[in-house]
């Protein structure tokens, strides 16, 4: 009887060991499957984000190529007209001459150049038969106040002041020259002194330049 009881106890002990081993194995498999499933789900989600970003980039690239072709065609038509946009000869040397692209760049330069502005003002005023007393302003290139390029640039002011003397007719021509100039001038104030034979005109005004658009390629990390 004692031997039978001992055998039963051994069988129960073996069964318990087997049950513990099987339970442990099942728990391990379940935990492993859960971790693997979560990892695969995260990988699947990441790959979907990568594919979505690739599709967006490809579409943007195709749109850019099409826009570049349209721009190239429009640029060719714009710059090859027999008469420029202000009625001059695209190939002539006169003040109203030059290609449309040159006129646009002269009207709103993409680089800050204060000495070039002074030269342009001298030419404009000299052609009106007046005597230039002074051309003054602040060269921001020397003070470091230059705006760098951006993805959405806006016109930047270049304030200046000119003082000229001449008769009544030549002073009128100066005002008209500022109005007709291809470069935008925003008059802040006009001061006249003297008589019709000799007038002194002081003009305080702003002209403008616009930084080039920043077209640098940027990268983005997909998380």
């Amino acid at each position: 009887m004692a031997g039978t009881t001992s055998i039963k106890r051994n069988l129960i002990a073996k069964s318990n060991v087997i049950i513990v081993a099987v339970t442990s194995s099942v728990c391990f498999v379940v935990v492993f499957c859960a971790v693997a499933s979560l990892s695969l789900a995260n990988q699947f989600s990441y790959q979907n984000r990568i594919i979505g970003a690739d599709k967006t980039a490809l579409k943007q690239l195709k749109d850019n190529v099409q826009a570049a072709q349209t721009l190239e065609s429009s640029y060719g038509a714009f710059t090859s007209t027999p008469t420029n946009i202000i009625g001059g000869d695209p190939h002539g040397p006169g003040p109203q001459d030059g290609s449309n692209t040159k006129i646009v760049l002269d009207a709103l330069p993409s680089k800050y150049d204060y000495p070039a502005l002074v030269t342009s003002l001298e030419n404009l005023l000299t052609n009106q038969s007046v005597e230039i007393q002074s051309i003054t302003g602040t060269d921001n290139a020397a003070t470091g106040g230059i705006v760098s390029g951006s993805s959405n640039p806006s016109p930047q002011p270049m304030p200046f002041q000119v003082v000229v003397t001449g008769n009544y007719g030549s002073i009128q021509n100066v005002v008209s020259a500022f109005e007709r100039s291809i470069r935008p001038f925003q008059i802040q104030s006009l001061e006249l002194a003297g008589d019709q034979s000799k007038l002194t005109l002081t003009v305080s005004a702003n002209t403008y330049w616009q930084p080039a658009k920043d077209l640098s390629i940027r990268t983005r990390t997909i998380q």
Side-chain angles (χ1 to χ4, degrees), residues 15-27:
S15 297
N16 289 338
V17 170
I18 293 172
I19 291 171
V20 170
V22 171
T23 303
S24 299
S25 300
V26 170
C27 290

Side-chain angles (χ1 to χ4, degrees), residues 2-223:
T4 303
T5 302
S6 177
I7 293 172
K8 289 181 177 180
R9 287 178 179 176
N10 289 334
L11 291 174
I12 292 172
K14 289 181 180 179
S15 297
N16 289 338
V17 170
I18 293 172
I19 291 171
V20 170
V22 171
T23 303
S24 299
S25 300
V26 170
C27 290
F28 174 78
V29 171
V30 170
V31 171
F32 176 80
C33 290
V35 172
S37 298
L38 181 60
S39 177
L40 288 174
N42 290 337
Q43 188 68 20
F44 180 75
S45 177
Y46 175 73
Q47 292 298 331
N48 278 342
R49 291 196 296 273
I50 291 291
I51 293 171
D54 285 344
K55 289 181 178 179
T56 301
L58 180 60
K59 181 180 182 302
Q60 185 64 58
L61 181 60
K62 290 180 178 179
D63 291 343
N64 290 347
V65 170
Q66 185 175 0
Q69 293 173 344
T70 302
L71 179 62
E72 182 180 7
S73 176
S74 299
Y75 175 85
F78 178 69
T79 196
S80 61
T81 56
T83 302
N84 64 32
I85 53 178
I86 56 176
D89 182 357
H91 307 291
Q96 301 296 111
D97 296 335
S99 66
N100 287 334
T101 49
K102 179 180 182 300
I103 290 171
V104 170
L105 290 175
D106 287 344
L108 198 62
S110 60
K111 293 182 179 180
Y112 181 90
D113 192 342
Y114 183 78
L117 170 62
V118 173
T119 300
S120 177
L121 290 172
E122 288 176 347
N123 292 335
L124 182 147
L125 297 172
T126 300
N127 290 333
Q128 313 314 317
S129 301
V130 293
E131 183 179 347
I132 301 173
Q133 301 299 317
S134 66
I135 299 176
T136 57
T138 301
D139 188 350
N140 289 336
T143 62
I146 302 299
V147 179
S148 60
S150 70
S151 59
N152 188 26
S154 59
Q156 303 297 313
M158 297 178 67
F160 65 90
Q161 184 180 80
V162 298
V163 180
V164 296
T165 57
N167 59 36
Y168 181 77
S170 61
I171 294 298
Q172 276 189 318
N173 291 338
V174 168
V175 177
S176 297
F178 277 116
E179 292 176 347
R180 296 193 309 270
S181 174
I182 60 173
R183 185 162 188 163
F185 290 107
Q186 185 179 49
I187 305 299
Q188 304 296 316
S189 65
L190 290 172
E191 296 181 13
L192 279 173
D195 54 39
Q196 287 196 359
S197 61
K198 186 175 182 179
L199 287 168
T200 299
L201 173 66
T202 302
V203 179
S204 297
N206 283 330
T207 188
Y208 295 87
W209 72 288
Q210 180 166 301
K213 187 177 181 65
D214 183 6
L215 297 176
S216 60
I217 298 176
R218 296 177 175 85
T219 59
R220 180 167 65 92
T221 302
I222 304 298
Q223 301 292 338

